Amino acid sequence: VNSEASNIIDISKFHWRREANTSNVTAIAFFGRVTTEWSVRTEHVPSGALNASVIQRLNPEAELSRFLDVCSKVLTILEKCSELLEVRDALGADDRLMASKPLLTELVMFRDISDSVGLLVLKCFQAVSQVKAISDVPRLPEVLRRALNRLWAAPFMEFDEACDLADEIDAAANPISFPGYVELTNELVSDARSPEHA
Amino acid sequence: LAAAFSFSSFRRNQVIFELRFPAAYLLWDQSGRLSSDIGRLFKVFRNTAASPGQVTFVADDRYLLDVMLERASITDHKPQGKLESMFETLAIFAKLVSSHLQVDTFTRAGMRHLYTLDCKSAEEARAKAQLAAPNVLPKKHLFGLPPESVSPTYKIEASDGELAYTAQLYVREQKMDFAPPPDATALGMETIQKEVFQLVLDFDFFTKKPVARESFDPMAWLTGWHKAINKDADEFLELAGRRV
């Protein structure tokens, strides 16, 4: 202890610690060498993270890369679909949604990547397949886009999270029991509010 | 311009897969369960050491597995033959470690392949290195003594901020000295001394940014890195052999 009274440092009070491995190389492990002491240094974790596109660059032929490729194509279509719905172009939006069907079929082929992928691609495919008119399910393209976007970023997400997303898709795909309900109610509501009707 | 040695003349000697992560204190609670689950991957599985910060195993007389608070690595010391099943083992190991220790983010994922060309002596290894990566041979006294040998190396480092690699060519000398304890000597076991001289092709691929577990597929990364080696290893050797 180094104090005013004594400047003798008692080395027995110290213990040796091995620093965490922060070197820039992948460490080669040698049999028989064991770290018997340890210490943990709070390291600065670099900001930002690698996104899925990196694996597409590194290994474009991997199943995951092909899945991400198809997934991004579907996302582009759904984005356009949402845009068209916003400007009340139901016909155009419907065309886009129908155009996503073959790609969603293709996505189902990648269901073995993970349980979450399996659940969500099947749910997306089912939801789009049962659409008769997009005006019945105006929230669906946006909900699908959010779910697939998450799947694109995290194909190995926890299954619980995938279940929640699947529930959201279900809710958006089955808001009412018969087709044309939304259009019909909109029409009736607008009629009821029109001055002529009053 | 042809390289002195083609990539096919090297033998795959070691494959290491390493994941680094923020301190995973669950290792203190989970190392037993983790050991049991990892052990199921192998025919022969042996715990060789355990301490608060590290557990080490050997498996099937070829794998060395280390799980520590901040990193986990698996090394295949006999990676010859088809790589598919070995990559699967490495990938499952990574998944087991990350799930048991509840690691959400890998701060670094790295894979290192070592290819070797065996030589009879250190001189032969250095001569081969000189052929593969020519260096200037000193012909006069340096620092008062005549230079006896040169040990050329060649190293390329690259990073784009996301992915990075280090590729190297160098000479490696390994000396193994096995001295059995007296009771084993009494049973006829003898001291073994072995020296190995090799020309080593060392490829280390790694990530420069953290990667989330939920978007990390070890198999895709392992095969991707391996394809990168197969694609450009010969060109690396050719570059190493060029005289400036």
Side-chain angles (χ1 to χ4, degrees):
Chain A
V1 178
N2 197 355
S3 65
E4 281 180 14
S6 163
N7 62 354
I8 297 166
I9 295 169
D10 183 0
I11 204 163
S12 65
K13 298 265 168 58
F14 290 77
H15 64 274
W16 298 103
R17 298 191 307 175
R18 190 179 295 239
E19 286 293 335
N21 187 349
T22 53
S23 68
N24 207 26
V25 296
T26 304
I28 299 177
F30 291 98
F31 177 74
R33 286 187 196 173
V34 180
T35 308
T36 50
E37 311 89 10
W38 54 269
S39 77
V40 173
R41 188 171 56 191
T42 309
E43 269 185 73
H44 169 68
V45 176
S47 60
L50 295 181
N51 63 29
S53 63
V54 177
I55 195 65
Q56 284 176 289
R57 195 151 55 88
L58 178 71
N59 191 357
E61 290 149 33
E63 196 183 20
L64 180 64
S65 300
R66 287 186 284 122
F67 164 74
L68 295 172
D69 186 39
V70 180
C71 203
S72 58
K73 283 179 189 165
V74 179
L75 282 169
T76 311
I77 291 176
L78 290 175
E79 205 168 320
K80 189 69 193 167
C81 184
S82 296
E83 281 173 19
L84 290 169
L85 272 179
E86 270 178 34
V87 295
R88 295 178 181 276
D89 182 359
L91 212 59
D94 202 48
D95 279 350
R96 298 283 170 174
L97 196 68
M98 292 306 111
S100 71
K101 266 189 186 177
L103 290 171
L104 285 169
T105 315
E106 211 176 316
L107 275 187
V108 176
M109 303 298 169
F110 296 104
R111 61 188 178 277
D112 288 337
I113 287 178
S114 73
D115 291 344
S116 302
V117 168
L119 173 69
L120 284 177
V121 294
L122 204 66
K123 194 54 83 177
C124 290
F125 177 68
Q126 274 179 345
V128 172
S129 299
Q130 68 193 42
V131 172
K132 291 193 172 70
I134 198 163
S135 48
D136 296 335
V137 284
R139 280 185 56 239
L140 185 62
E142 186 54 28
V143 171
L144 288 177
R145 197 183 64 79
R146 266 193 287 125
L148 286 175
N149 215 9
R150 179 75 186 123
L151 199 60
W152 183 86
F156 305 97
M157 69 175 86
E158 295 292 331
F159 193 65
D160 284 353
E161 187 186 348
C163 289
D164 290 343
L165 290 170
D167 286 345
E168 277 184 42
I169 295 170
D170 266 341
N174 304 297
I176 32 79
S177 54
F178 60 90
Y181 176 85
V182 175
E183 280 183 333
L184 198 64
T185 45
N186 282 346
E187 203 177 311
L188 288 171
V189 169
S190 59
D191 280 354
R193 285 176 182 165
S194 69
E196 287 170 25
H197 193 269
Chain B
L1 214 154
F5 303 100
S6 68
F7 180 49
S8 57
S9 54
F10 287 80
R11 188 173 64 101
R12 199 181 303 111
N13 189 279
Q14 257 173 294
V15 173
I16 306 134
F17 183 38
E18 183 198 60
L19 294 169
R20 293 184 195 167
F21 34 80
Y25 296 108
L26 268 178
L27 178 66
W28 294 334
D29 306 318
Q30 293 285 328
S31 56
R33 189 173 292 174
L34 180 64
S35 311
S36 304
D37 287 349
I38 293 174
R40 290 192 191 104
L41 298 174
F42 306 99
K43 285 178 191 160
V44 181
F45 186 71
R46 203 155 45 89
N47 172 239
T48 57
S51 69
Q54 179 176 8
V55 280
T56 306
F57 312 95
V58 287
D60 292 350
D61 294 327
R62 61 184 277 188
Y63 293 104
L64 182 58
L65 305 94
D66 266 328
V67 185
M68 292 172 235
L69 283 173
E70 291 178 307
R71 73 181 177 94
S73 76
I74 176 166
T75 306
D76 185 357
H77 287 273
K78 290 180 186 171
Q80 292 84 33
K82 286 197 171 180
L83 289 176
E84 191 80 2
S85 64
M86 185 259 282
F87 282 169
E88 268 174 31
T89 304
L90 270 53
I92 295 170
F93 168 76
K95 282 181 182 173
L96 285 173
V97 169
S98 57
S99 62
H100 280 72
L101 302 187
Q102 293 179 16
V103 175
D104 293 329
T105 307
F106 301 115
T107 48
R108 183 188 186 276
M111 186 192 210
R112 195 164 170 185
H113 283 240
L114 275 79
Y115 294 81
T116 56
L117 193 64
D118 290 338
C119 305
K120 285 172 189 155
S121 63
E123 288 72 32
E124 189 190 334
R126 288 188 199 119
K128 282 185 173 168
Q130 178 66 7
L131 271 175
N135 274 28
V136 175
L137 286 162
K139 289 175 183 166
K140 58 178 186 178
H141 282 49
L142 276 177
F143 313 112
L145 289 171
E148 285 182 343
S149 64
V150 286
S151 190
T153 59
Y154 185 68
K155 182 177 182 180
I156 295 180
E157 289 176 310
S159 167
D160 66 359
E162 292 185 332
L163 300 174
Y165 72 81
T166 304
Q168 299 180 78
L169 183 74
Y170 55 86
V171 171
R172 181 167 74 172
E173 298 177 28
Q174 285 181 302
K175 290 180 182 176
M176 301 297 279
D177 196 348
F178 175 70
D183 51 342
T185 314
L187 295 171
M189 286 189 78
E190 290 173 5
T191 300
I192 300 168
Q193 286 179 324
K194 195 171 182 185
E195 288 186 329
V196 178
F197 307 97
Q198 292 166 324
L199 182 61
V200 182
L201 250 183
D202 182 342
F203 300 107
D204 189 1
F205 289 83
F206 51 96
T207 55
K208 290 291 280 185
K209 276 185 179 174
V211 54
R213 174 166 69 119
E214 57 191 14
S215 61
F216 185 72
D217 179 11
M219 198 66 186
W221 283 81
L222 292 170
T223 49
W225 279 324
H226 181 239
K227 279 178 190 169
I229 291 174
N230 280 345
K231 184 170 165 272
D232 284 340
D234 270 316
E235 197 163 337
F236 170 76
L237 283 166
E238 194 206 307
L239 280 171
R242 274 189 203 168
R243 286 173 191 275
V244 180

